[in-house]
Amino acid sequence: MTKSRMKLLTGIVGVVTAVALVGGGTMAWFTDKKEVAASKFTAGTVEIQAGQSVVEDTGSSGKVYYKTIELDPDSITAKQGKKINGGTIGADRRDPKKVLVSDKEMFSLGYGDQSTTGVLTAGFSEPLGKGDVLVIENTWGTKPDPKYVETAKVYVSADNHEWTYAGTVTNQVSGGDQRPNLVPSPIPDALYIKIVDTTPKILSDGKTANSSEDGFDIDYIAGRSILDETNWNPGDINKLAFYVTNSGTKDIDVRVKLEGHWETLQGGEWKENDDLADPDIISINEPKGWTKDGDFYYCSSNSKGGLKGVNGGESPNATDTIAVLDLTVQLSGDAGNEYQNAKYVITPTFQAIQHSHSDGWSWDSFDTYNGTSED
């Protein structure tokens, strides 16, 4: 064999070997193609829902700052879903009217299609006004179990046709067997509520099966309408509370900024009155569980791992899903006649950032994260 002939054969052997390697063991003389199943990465969410909470004053004044609005029993309808294995929900959990009384007797929504099944709809006995919805979930055990997750979305409506998303409820809150969830009403005239099961069959790690058998279990539903003070006198001390709920999947840190101003009737409308702005007339206590720094109060849950995510959270130190800001507000005894018929308005603004991140989240850059920086 000549030298040139030997070179040619060597080149052919090299080409064939390359084709065999590319084909992964299958020799394809012209073309070949292999596809591998795609891997999916769903980003976690940072989402909060906040509202004014009810307060029952057990002190000497005996004031109650809210009223409970029950459901209309005749308005309750439900389309129950299935068990996680496709079976029928047990007979002891099929009666939707069990949500009328908080007695650990429950109605299970079941796993549905998050639209028409696994759904309960009801009407309140009167419009909710300014307030929130209390949804108590019934879960056996003394504390939240991240392997046993149940969630549902809450919607409200004024006419039972146009629905507005209000928030997410979960069993990943403290409260023993009965887990209370507070959902602020986003509309002032809510008369109907719809609860839709969103319990995941697979937990947030993407591989572990949920231990929940029959979806979100409802023990009790009621509206809670907030009553404003209408007879505030110099020297009076009133109780006030706001809350923030982590309804996202990520553990979060939370802070709140309180802003207040006086309003008076001007031309038949309530308008801000800067002439009454005196920092010594109103005093607000330092709320337990919050640390004041600058213009903000920071939730102490930050040091424990943040507020836990709705699906069980990430940090083992995150134990709370809801944080309550309890305040006492006092009108100075030195308030003069110029404050008669005026009202003081307190507005809280809650902010949240992800608790853990490889690069680290910073409150100093909060506006940048949310696209509100002036730079």
Side-chain angles (χ1 to χ4, degrees), residues 43-47 246 248-252 307-310 313-314 354-356:
T45 60
V46 172
E47 177 186 343
N246 183 2
T249 60
K250 294 291 186 180
D251 297 339
I252 60 173
L307 285 185
K308 184 171 60 173
V310 71
E314 305 159 292
Q354 186 176 326
H355 176 76
S356 61

Side-chain angles (χ1 to χ4, degrees), residues 4-217:
S4 58
R5 175 70 170 167
M6 185 179 296
K7 284 184 178 181
L8 178 58
L9 289 176
T10 303
I12 292 175
V13 171
V15 171
V16 172
T17 302
V19 170
L21 290 174
V22 171
T26 302
M27 187 176 294
W29 289 104
F30 298 104
T31 61
D32 196 11
K33 183 178 181 180
K34 294 291 186 296
E35 290 187 0
V36 177
S39 296
K40 299 179 181 180
F41 302 87
T42 302
T45 60
V46 172
E47 177 186 343
I48 58 174
Q49 51 202 46
Q52 184 175 345
S53 184
V54 303
V55 176
E56 186 167 352
D57 195 336
T58 57
S60 58
S61 68
K63 292 181 178 178
V64 177
Y65 300 100
Y66 72 99
K67 67 175 179 178
T68 299
I69 301 178
E70 303 287 358
L71 297 180
D72 176 2
D74 295 330
S75 69
I76 301 175
T77 62
K79 182 67 174 178
Q80 197 170 45
K82 300 289 186 179
K83 289 186 175 182
I84 193 170
N85 62 5
T88 302
I89 303 293
D92 60 333
R93 300 187 181 190
R94 293 183 202 164
D95 183 3
K97 290 191 175 182
K98 287 185 176 181
V99 305
L100 292 168
V101 181
S102 180
D103 58 2
K104 296 187 180 181
E105 292 291 327
M106 70 193 80
F107 171 74
S108 296
L109 288 175
Y111 288 85
D113 59 9
Q114 300 190 16
S115 176
T116 59
T117 56
V119 177
L120 180 143
T121 305
F124 294 108
S125 58
E126 61 180 272
L128 184 57
K130 182 183 72 172
D132 55 30
V133 177
L134 171 65
V135 179
I136 297 181
E137 201 277 347
N138 204 337
T139 292
W140 309 121
T142 58
K143 60 182 180 179
D145 184 348
K147 296 181 180 179
Y148 187 84
V149 175
E150 296 179 351
T151 62
K153 287 187 175 181
V154 178
Y155 301 84
V156 292
S157 172
D159 57 10
N160 204 19
H161 295 290
E162 297 291 330
W163 293 94
T164 301
Y165 172 68
T168 296
V169 291
T170 178
N171 67 345
Q172 298 297 302
V173 297
S174 301
D177 289 348
Q178 294 171 294
R179 312 282 172 84
N181 288 260
L182 306 178
V183 183
S185 176
I187 59 176
D189 53 353
L191 189 56
Y192 299 91
I193 181 173
K194 179 167 64 175
I195 302 182
V196 182
D197 185 83
T198 56
T199 301
K201 291 186 177 181
I202 301 296
L203 298 179
S204 56
D205 63 4
K207 58 184 178 181
T208 304
N210 196 348
S211 296
S212 172
E213 186 175 295
D214 44 23
F216 194 84
D217 302 315

Side-chain angles (χ1 to χ4, degrees), residues 309-352:
V310 71
N311 287 339
E314 305 159 292
S315 169
N317 297 319
T319 58
D320 302 313
T321 301
I322 299 176
V324 178
L325 181 74
D326 287 309
L327 303 173
T328 57
V329 184
Q330 182 173 17
L331 176 62
S332 171
D334 296 329
N337 290 336
E338 65 271 25
Y339 290 94
Q340 287 187 5
N341 297 319
K343 63 182 180 182
Y344 189 70
V345 180
I346 296 178
T347 303
T349 301
F350 287 90
Q351 297 177 345

Side-chain angles (χ1 to χ4, degrees), residues 264-287:
T264 54
L265 272 175
Q266 303 173 40
E269 296 182 6
W270 286 100
K271 296 182 180 180
E272 186 171 347
N273 189 333
D274 292 334
D275 294 336
L276 299 180
D278 184 343
D280 296 326
I281 291 297
I282 299 294
S283 60
I284 299 176
N285 71 305
E286 293 295 322

